[in-house]
PDB file of all heavy atoms in Angstrom:
ATOM      1  N   ALA A1252       6.185  -0.544   0.209  1.00 98.00           N
ATOM      2  CA  ALA A1252       4.743  -0.780   0.060  1.00 98.00           C
ATOM      3  C   ALA A1252       4.411  -2.245   0.305  1.00 98.00           C
ATOM      4  O   ALA A1252       3.438  -2.564   1.006  1.00 98.00           O
ATOM      5  CB  ALA A1252       4.275  -0.342  -1.324  1.00 98.00           C
ATOM      6  N   GLU A1253       5.202  -3.142  -0.253  1.00 98.00           N
ATOM      7  CA  GLU A1253       4.940  -4.573  -0.081  1.00 98.00           C
ATOM      8  C   GLU A1253       5.090  -4.997   1.376  1.00 98.00           C
ATOM      9  O   GLU A1253       4.347  -5.843   1.861  1.00 98.00           O
ATOM     10  CB  GLU A1253       5.857  -5.386  -0.989  1.00 98.00           C
ATOM     11  CG  GLU A1253       5.483  -5.266  -2.450  1.00 98.00           C
ATOM     12  CD  GLU A1253       6.464  -5.940  -3.396  1.00 98.00           C
ATOM     13  OE1 GLU A1253       7.607  -6.234  -2.993  1.00 98.00           O
ATOM     14  OE2 GLU A1253       6.074  -6.163  -4.559  1.00 98.00           O
ATOM     15  N   THR A1254       6.044  -4.399   2.075  1.00 97.00           N
ATOM     16  CA  THR A1254       6.226  -4.715   3.490  1.00 97.00           C
ATOM     17  C   THR A1254       5.103  -4.109   4.322  1.00 97.00           C
ATOM     18  O   THR A1254       4.486  -4.783   5.151  1.00 97.00           O
ATOM     19  CB  THR A1254       7.596  -4.215   3.984  1.00 97.00           C
ATOM     20  OG1 THR A1254       8.617  -4.831   3.204  1.00 97.00           O
ATOM     21  CG2 THR A1254       7.806  -4.541   5.453  1.00 97.00           C
ATOM     22  N   PHE A1255       4.827  -2.841   4.107  1.00 97.00           N
ATOM     23  CA  PHE A1255       3.806  -2.140   4.880  1.00 97.00           C
ATOM     24  C   PHE A1255       2.437  -2.800   4.733  1.00 97.00           C
ATOM     25  O   PHE A1255       1.704  -2.960   5.701  1.00 97.00           O
ATOM     26  CB  PHE A1255       3.737  -0.667   4.469  1.00 97.00           C
ATOM     27  CG  PHE A1255       2.813   0.156   5.316  1.00 97.00           C
ATOM     28  CD1 PHE A1255       3.209   0.586   6.575  1.00 97.00           C
ATOM     29  CD2 PHE A1255       1.548   0.483   4.870  1.00 97.00           C
ATOM     30  CE1 PHE A1255       2.350   1.335   7.373  1.00 97.00           C
ATOM     31  CE2 PHE A1255       0.688   1.232   5.665  1.00 97.00           C
ATOM     32  CZ  PHE A1255       1.084   1.661   6.912  1.00 97.00           C
ATOM     33  N   TYR A1256       2.086  -3.173   3.521  1.00 95.00           N
ATOM     34  CA  TYR A1256       0.785  -3.788   3.247  1.00 95.00           C
ATOM     35  C   TYR A1256       0.853  -5.307   3.205  1.00 95.00           C
ATOM     36  O   TYR A1256      -0.052  -5.965   2.691  1.00 95.00           O
ATOM     37  CB  TYR A1256       0.198  -3.238   1.943  1.00 95.00           C
ATOM     38  CG  TYR A1256      -0.256  -1.806   2.069  1.00 95.00           C
ATOM     39  CD1 TYR A1256       0.489  -0.778   1.510  1.00 95.00           C
ATOM     40  CD2 TYR A1256      -1.405  -1.488   2.773  1.00 95.00           C
ATOM     41  CE1 TYR A1256       0.077   0.542   1.638  1.00 95.00           C
ATOM     42  CE2 TYR A1256      -1.815  -0.171   2.918  1.00 95.00           C
ATOM     43  CZ  TYR A1256      -1.073   0.838   2.346  1.00 95.00           C
ATOM     44  OH  TYR A1256      -1.480   2.135   2.489  1.00 95.00           O
ATOM     45  N   GLY A1257       1.901  -5.889   3.781  1.00 95.00           N
ATOM     46  CA  GLY A1257       2.105  -7.327   3.764  1.00 95.00           C
ATOM     47  C   GLY A1257       0.938  -8.137   4.296  1.00 95.00           C
ATOM     48  O   GLY A1257       0.695  -9.255   3.843  1.00 95.00           O
ATOM     49  N   VAL A1258       0.183  -7.566   5.221  1.00 92.00           N
ATOM     50  CA  VAL A1258      -0.982  -8.258   5.767  1.00 92.00           C
ATOM     51  C   VAL A1258      -1.998  -8.594   4.672  1.00 92.00           C
ATOM     52  O   VAL A1258      -2.784  -9.522   4.811  1.00 92.00           O
ATOM     53  CB  VAL A1258      -1.624  -7.424   6.901  1.00 92.00           C
ATOM     54  CG1 VAL A1258      -2.226  -6.130   6.377  1.00 92.00           C
ATOM     55  CG2 VAL A1258      -2.655  -8.222   7.658  1.00 92.00           C
ATOM     56  N   HIS A1259      -1.953  -7.856   3.572  1.00 94.00           N
ATOM     57  CA  HIS A1259      -2.882  -8.076   2.454  1.00 94.00           C
ATOM     58  C   HIS A1259      -2.262  -8.871   1.312  1.00 94.00           C
ATOM     59  O   HIS A1259      -2.863  -8.978   0.241  1.00 94.00           O
ATOM     60  CB  HIS A1259      -3.364  -6.733   1.895  1.00 94.00           C
ATOM     61  CG  HIS A1259      -4.061  -5.876   2.901  1.00 94.00           C
ATOM     62  ND1 HIS A1259      -5.202  -6.268   3.558  1.00 94.00           N
ATOM     63  CD2 HIS A1259      -3.774  -4.629   3.358  1.00 94.00           C
ATOM     64  CE1 HIS A1259      -5.597  -5.300   4.378  1.00 94.00           C
ATOM     65  NE2 HIS A1259      -4.741  -4.309   4.283  1.00 94.00           N
ATOM     66  N   SER A1260      -1.087  -9.447   1.512  1.00 95.00           N
ATOM     67  CA  SER A1260      -0.336 -10.056   0.401  1.00 95.00           C
ATOM     68  C   SER A1260      -1.072 -11.176  -0.323  1.00 95.00           C
ATOM     69  O   SER A1260      -0.810 -11.419  -1.503  1.00 95.00           O
ATOM     70  CB  SER A1260       1.029 -10.552   0.882  1.00 95.00           C
ATOM     71  OG  SER A1260       0.868 -11.576   1.842  1.00 95.00           O
ATOM     72  N   GLU A1261      -1.985 -11.843   0.338  1.00 96.00           N
ATOM     73  CA  GLU A1261      -2.732 -12.932  -0.296  1.00 96.00           C
ATOM     74  C   GLU A1261      -4.020 -12.448  -0.955  1.00 96.00           C
ATOM     75  O   GLU A1261      -4.709 -13.233  -1.604  1.00 96.00           O
ATOM     76  CB  GLU A1261      -3.062 -14.024   0.730  1.00 96.00           C
ATOM     77  CG  GLU A1261      -1.830 -14.646   1.375  1.00 96.00           C
ATOM     78  CD  GLU A1261      -0.882 -15.274   0.363  1.00 96.00           C
ATOM     79  OE1 GLU A1261      -1.362 -15.964  -0.551  1.00 96.00           O
ATOM     80  OE2 GLU A1261       0.342 -15.062   0.487  1.00 96.00           O
ATOM     81  N   ARG A1262      -4.337 -11.188  -0.814  1.00 95.00           N
ATOM     82  CA  ARG A1262      -5.583 -10.660  -1.364  1.00 95.00           C
ATOM     83  C   ARG A1262      -5.392 -10.272  -2.822  1.00 95.00           C
ATOM     84  O   ARG A1262      -4.297  -9.864  -3.239  1.00 95.00           O
ATOM     85  CB  ARG A1262      -6.027  -9.445  -0.568  1.00 95.00           C
ATOM     86  CG  ARG A1262      -6.055  -9.757   0.916  1.00 95.00           C
ATOM     87  CD  ARG A1262      -7.112  -9.681   1.639  1.00 95.00           C
ATOM     88  NE  ARG A1262      -8.399  -9.627   1.965  1.00 95.00           N
ATOM     89  CZ  ARG A1262      -8.882  -8.831   2.897  1.00 95.00           C
ATOM     90  NH1 ARG A1262      -8.128  -7.938   3.496  1.00 95.00           N
ATOM     91  NH2 ARG A1262     -10.134  -8.914   3.235  1.00 95.00           N
ATOM     92  N   PRO A1263      -6.452 -10.367  -3.624  1.00 95.00           N
ATOM     93  CA  PRO A1263      -6.325 -10.088  -5.060  1.00 95.00           C
ATOM     94  C   PRO A1263      -5.913  -8.650  -5.393  1.00 95.00           C
ATOM     95  O   PRO A1263      -5.318  -8.396  -6.434  1.00 95.00           O
ATOM     96  CB  PRO A1263      -7.710 -10.402  -5.625  1.00 95.00           C
ATOM     97  CG  PRO A1263      -8.606 -10.657  -4.478  1.00 95.00           C
ATOM     98  CD  PRO A1263      -7.771 -10.837  -3.250  1.00 95.00           C
ATOM     99  N   PHE A1264      -6.195  -7.719  -4.506  1.00 93.00           N
ATOM    100  CA  PHE A1264      -5.887  -6.309  -4.771  1.00 93.00           C
ATOM    101  C   PHE A1264      -4.488  -5.890  -4.335  1.00 93.00           C
ATOM    102  O   PHE A1264      -4.090  -4.736  -4.527  1.00 93.00           O
ATOM    103  CB  PHE A1264      -6.922  -5.398  -4.095  1.00 93.00           C
ATOM    104  CG  PHE A1264      -6.964  -5.527  -2.591  1.00 93.00           C
ATOM    105  CD1 PHE A1264      -6.047  -4.870  -1.778  1.00 93.00           C
ATOM    106  CD2 PHE A1264      -7.941  -6.310  -1.984  1.00 93.00           C
ATOM    107  CE1 PHE A1264      -6.092  -4.983  -0.395  1.00 93.00           C
ATOM    108  CE2 PHE A1264      -8.000  -6.427  -0.594  1.00 93.00           C
ATOM    109  CZ  PHE A1264      -7.072  -5.760   0.195  1.00 93.00           C
ATOM    110  N   PHE A1265      -3.695  -6.802  -3.767  1.00 96.00           N
ATOM    111  CA  PHE A1265      -2.396  -6.453  -3.186  1.00 96.00           C
ATOM    112  C   PHE A1265      -1.469  -5.756  -4.183  1.00 96.00           C
ATOM    113  O   PHE A1265      -0.914  -4.692  -3.893  1.00 96.00           O
ATOM    114  CB  PHE A1265      -1.717  -7.704  -2.621  1.00 96.00           C
ATOM    115  CG  PHE A1265      -0.351  -7.455  -2.044  1.00 96.00           C
ATOM    116  CD1 PHE A1265      -0.185  -6.734  -0.881  1.00 96.00           C
ATOM    117  CD2 PHE A1265       0.783  -7.953  -2.670  1.00 96.00           C
ATOM    118  CE1 PHE A1265       1.074  -6.510  -0.335  1.00 96.00           C
ATOM    119  CE2 PHE A1265       2.048  -7.733  -2.139  1.00 96.00           C
ATOM    120  CZ  PHE A1265       2.190  -7.008  -0.971  1.00 96.00           C
ATOM    121  N   GLY A1266      -1.269  -6.334  -5.354  1.00 96.00           N
ATOM    122  CA  GLY A1266      -0.367  -5.742  -6.342  1.00 96.00           C
ATOM    123  C   GLY A1266      -0.828  -4.365  -6.787  1.00 96.00           C
ATOM    124  O   GLY A1266      -0.026  -3.431  -6.885  1.00 96.00           O
ATOM    125  N   GLU A1267      -2.108  -4.236  -7.032  1.00 95.00           N
ATOM    126  CA  GLU A1267      -2.673  -2.949  -7.450  1.00 95.00           C
ATOM    127  C   GLU A1267      -2.509  -1.907  -6.342  1.00 95.00           C
ATOM    128  O   GLU A1267      -2.172  -0.745  -6.613  1.00 95.00           O
ATOM    129  CB  GLU A1267      -4.155  -3.138  -7.788  1.00 95.00           C
ATOM    130  CG  GLU A1267      -4.822  -1.907  -8.338  1.00 95.00           C
ATOM    131  CD  GLU A1267      -6.288  -2.158  -8.684  1.00 95.00           C
ATOM    132  OE1 GLU A1267      -6.677  -3.312  -8.941  1.00 95.00           O
ATOM    133  OE2 GLU A1267      -7.039  -1.164  -8.690  1.00 95.00           O
ATOM    134  N   LEU A1268      -2.727  -2.303  -5.095  1.00 95.00           N
ATOM    135  CA  LEU A1268      -2.558  -1.400  -3.960  1.00 95.00           C
ATOM    136  C   LEU A1268      -1.120  -0.907  -3.872  1.00 95.00           C
ATOM    137  O   LEU A1268      -0.868   0.301  -3.738  1.00 95.00           O
ATOM    138  CB  LEU A1268      -2.949  -2.109  -2.661  1.00 95.00           C
ATOM    139  CG  LEU A1268      -2.640  -1.380  -1.351  1.00 95.00           C
ATOM    140  CD1 LEU A1268      -3.388  -0.060  -1.258  1.00 95.00           C
ATOM    141  CD2 LEU A1268      -2.981  -2.281  -0.168  1.00 95.00           C
ATOM    142  N   CYS A1269      -0.178  -1.823  -3.967  1.00 97.00           N
ATOM    143  CA  CYS A1269       1.239  -1.436  -3.881  1.00 97.00           C
ATOM    144  C   CYS A1269       1.629  -0.511  -5.024  1.00 97.00           C
ATOM    145  O   CYS A1269       2.319   0.499  -4.804  1.00 97.00           O
ATOM    146  CB  CYS A1269       2.122  -2.681  -3.843  1.00 97.00           C
ATOM    147  SG  CYS A1269       1.953  -3.623  -2.304  1.00 97.00           S
ATOM    148  N   GLU A1270       1.199  -0.812  -6.229  1.00 97.00           N
ATOM    149  CA  GLU A1270       1.508   0.051  -7.378  1.00 97.00           C
ATOM    150  C   GLU A1270       0.907   1.444  -7.194  1.00 97.00           C
ATOM    151  O   GLU A1270       1.542   2.449  -7.500  1.00 97.00           O
ATOM    152  CB  GLU A1270       1.004  -0.582  -8.682  1.00 97.00           C
ATOM    153  CG  GLU A1270       1.821  -1.769  -9.135  1.00 97.00           C
ATOM    154  CD  GLU A1270       3.281  -1.427  -9.439  1.00 97.00           C
ATOM    155  OE1 GLU A1270       3.555  -0.332  -9.990  1.00 97.00           O
ATOM    156  OE2 GLU A1270       4.144  -2.261  -9.113  1.00 97.00           O
ATOM    157  N   PHE A1271      -0.309   1.497  -6.696  1.00 97.00           N
ATOM    158  CA  PHE A1271      -0.953   2.788  -6.427  1.00 97.00           C
ATOM    159  C   PHE A1271      -0.157   3.585  -5.403  1.00 97.00           C
ATOM    160  O   PHE A1271       0.096   4.780  -5.587  1.00 97.00           O
ATOM    161  CB  PHE A1271      -2.393   2.576  -5.947  1.00 97.00           C
ATOM    162  CG  PHE A1271      -3.029   3.792  -5.359  1.00 97.00           C
ATOM    163  CD1 PHE A1271      -3.222   4.938  -6.120  1.00 97.00           C
ATOM    164  CD2 PHE A1271      -3.437   3.814  -4.033  1.00 97.00           C
ATOM    165  CE1 PHE A1271      -3.811   6.074  -5.574  1.00 97.00           C
ATOM    166  CE2 PHE A1271      -4.024   4.936  -3.479  1.00 97.00           C
ATOM    167  CZ  PHE A1271      -4.211   6.070  -4.257  1.00 97.00           C
ATOM    168  N   MET A1272       0.265   2.940  -4.328  1.00 98.00           N
ATOM    169  CA  MET A1272       0.947   3.650  -3.248  1.00 98.00           C
ATOM    170  C   MET A1272       2.325   4.176  -3.637  1.00 98.00           C
ATOM    171  O   MET A1272       2.851   5.073  -2.980  1.00 98.00           O
ATOM    172  CB  MET A1272       1.026   2.774  -2.004  1.00 98.00           C
ATOM    173  CG  MET A1272      -0.327   2.538  -1.343  1.00 98.00           C
ATOM    174  SD  MET A1272      -1.218   4.046  -0.875  1.00 98.00           S
ATOM    175  CE  MET A1272      -0.134   4.691   0.402  1.00 98.00           C
ATOM    176  N   ILE A1273       2.908   3.652  -4.708  1.00 98.00           N
ATOM    177  CA  ILE A1273       4.207   4.169  -5.166  1.00 98.00           C
ATOM    178  C   ILE A1273       4.054   5.086  -6.378  1.00 98.00           C
ATOM    179  O   ILE A1273       5.036   5.595  -6.901  1.00 98.00           O
ATOM    180  CB  ILE A1273       5.205   3.027  -5.465  1.00 98.00           C
ATOM    181  CG1 ILE A1273       4.789   2.204  -6.682  1.00 98.00           C
ATOM    182  CG2 ILE A1273       5.396   2.150  -4.239  1.00 98.00           C
ATOM    183  CD1 ILE A1273       5.843   1.231  -7.185  1.00 98.00           C
ATOM    184  N   SER A1274       2.831   5.336  -6.808  1.00 98.00           N
ATOM    185  CA  SER A1274       2.586   6.099  -8.041  1.00 98.00           C
ATOM    186  C   SER A1274       2.874   7.592  -7.918  1.00 98.00           C
ATOM    187  O   SER A1274       3.159   8.251  -8.915  1.00 98.00           O
ATOM    188  CB  SER A1274       1.146   5.892  -8.513  1.00 98.00           C
ATOM    189  OG  SER A1274       0.220   6.472  -7.604  1.00 98.00           O
ATOM    190  N   GLU A1275       2.780   8.126  -6.738  1.00 98.00           N
ATOM    191  CA  GLU A1275       2.997   9.552  -6.455  1.00 98.00           C
ATOM    192  C   GLU A1275       3.526   9.642  -5.026  1.00 98.00           C
ATOM    193  O   GLU A1275       3.399   8.693  -4.249  1.00 98.00           O
ATOM    194  CB  GLU A1275       1.681  10.334  -6.538  1.00 98.00           C
ATOM    195  CG  GLU A1275       1.017  10.363  -7.897  1.00 98.00           C
ATOM    196  CD  GLU A1275       1.646  11.355  -8.853  1.00 98.00           C
ATOM    197  OE1 GLU A1275       2.299  12.311  -8.399  1.00 98.00           O
ATOM    198  OE2 GLU A1275       1.481  11.158 -10.070  1.00 98.00           O
ATOM    199  N   PRO A1276       4.055  10.801  -4.631  1.00 98.00           N
ATOM    200  CA  PRO A1276       4.448  10.964  -3.232  1.00 98.00           C
ATOM    201  C   PRO A1276       3.252  10.810  -2.293  1.00 98.00           C
ATOM    202  O   PRO A1276       2.098  11.007  -2.697  1.00 98.00           O
ATOM    203  CB  PRO A1276       4.989  12.393  -3.178  1.00 98.00           C
ATOM    204  CG  PRO A1276       5.385  12.700  -4.583  1.00 98.00           C
ATOM    205  CD  PRO A1276       4.392  11.965  -5.440  1.00 98.00           C
ATOM    206  N   ILE A1277       3.558  10.463  -1.053  1.00 98.00           N
ATOM    207  CA  ILE A1277       2.557  10.388   0.006  1.00 98.00           C
ATOM    208  C   ILE A1277       3.035  11.242   1.172  1.00 98.00           C
ATOM    209  O   ILE A1277       4.208  11.611   1.228  1.00 98.00           O
ATOM    210  CB  ILE A1277       2.317   8.936   0.479  1.00 98.00           C
ATOM    211  CG1 ILE A1277       3.608   8.321   1.050  1.00 98.00           C
ATOM    212  CG2 ILE A1277       1.744   8.086  -0.654  1.00 98.00           C
ATOM    213  CD1 ILE A1277       3.427   6.960   1.707  1.00 98.00           C
ATOM    214  N   VAL A1278       2.127  11.548   2.076  1.00 98.00           N
ATOM    215  CA  VAL A1278       2.488  12.235   3.311  1.00 98.00           C
ATOM    216  C   VAL A1278       2.165  11.291   4.458  1.00 98.00           C
ATOM    217  O   VAL A1278       1.014  10.878   4.625  1.00 98.00           O
ATOM    218  CB  VAL A1278       1.736  13.567   3.480  1.00 98.00           C
ATOM    219  CG1 VAL A1278       2.055  14.207   4.834  1.00 98.00           C
ATOM    220  CG2 VAL A1278       2.088  14.519   2.344  1.00 98.00           C
ATOM    221  N   VAL A1279       3.210  10.903   5.187  1.00 98.00           N
ATOM    222  CA  VAL A1279       3.026  10.066   6.369  1.00 98.00           C
ATOM    223  C   VAL A1279       3.069  10.978   7.580  1.00 98.00           C
ATOM    224  O   VAL A1279       3.865  11.923   7.625  1.00 98.00           O
ATOM    225  CB  VAL A1279       4.084   8.942   6.457  1.00 98.00           C
ATOM    226  CG1 VAL A1279       3.880   7.926   5.344  1.00 98.00           C
ATOM    227  CG2 VAL A1279       5.507   9.471   6.420  1.00 98.00           C
ATOM    228  N   GLN A1280       2.192  10.708   8.551  1.00 98.00           N
ATOM    229  CA  GLN A1280       2.152  11.579   9.715  1.00 98.00           C
ATOM    230  C   GLN A1280       1.701  10.839  10.961  1.00 98.00           C
ATOM    231  O   GLN A1280       1.058   9.798  10.888  1.00 98.00           O
ATOM    232  CB  GLN A1280       1.262  12.801   9.483  1.00 98.00           C
ATOM    233  CG  GLN A1280       0.079  12.603   8.643  1.00 98.00           C
ATOM    234  CD  GLN A1280      -0.639  13.899   8.288  1.00 98.00           C
ATOM    235  OE1 GLN A1280      -0.133  15.004   8.422  1.00 98.00           O
ATOM    236  NE2 GLN A1280      -1.848  13.746   7.831  1.00 98.00           N
ATOM    237  N   VAL A1281       2.053  11.434  12.080  1.00 98.00           N
ATOM    238  CA  VAL A1281       1.603  10.954  13.371  1.00 98.00           C
ATOM    239  C   VAL A1281       0.674  12.025  13.930  1.00 98.00           C
ATOM    240  O   VAL A1281       1.040  13.200  14.006  1.00 98.00           O
ATOM    241  CB  VAL A1281       2.788  10.707  14.333  1.00 98.00           C
ATOM    242  CG1 VAL A1281       2.278  10.228  15.688  1.00 98.00           C
ATOM    243  CG2 VAL A1281       3.770   9.713  13.724  1.00 98.00           C
ATOM    244  N   LEU A1282      -0.524  11.589  14.278  1.00 98.00           N
ATOM    245  CA  LEU A1282      -1.527  12.487  14.839  1.00 98.00           C
ATOM    246  C   LEU A1282      -1.703  12.167  16.312  1.00 98.00           C
ATOM    247  O   LEU A1282      -1.652  11.005  16.709  1.00 98.00           O
ATOM    248  CB  LEU A1282      -2.862  12.305  14.111  1.00 98.00           C
ATOM    249  CG  LEU A1282      -2.842  12.436  12.596  1.00 98.00           C
ATOM    250  CD1 LEU A1282      -4.211  12.116  12.009  1.00 98.00           C
ATOM    251  CD2 LEU A1282      -2.377  13.821  12.173  1.00 98.00           C
TER     252      LEU A1282
END
């Protein structure tokens, strides 16, 4: 999560975003 969202690392919501993204499974896909 920290690597994927690294572009936002300086933003105040970065930690909360990363914690949210690891809180439950996700589905990654190519459309």
Side-chain angles (χ1 to χ4, degrees):
E1253 289 174 343
T1254 301
F1255 186 78
Y1256 289 105
V1258 67
H1259 301 300
S1260 63
E1261 300 301 316
R1262 309 240 19 221
F1264 61 81
F1265 178 69
E1267 185 179 336
L1268 171 62
C1269 291
E1270 287 298 322
F1271 167 62
M1272 291 303 294
I1273 68 169
S1274 67
E1275 296 281 338
I1277 61 172
V1278 176
V1279 292
Q1280 34 189 16
V1281 179
L1282 306 175

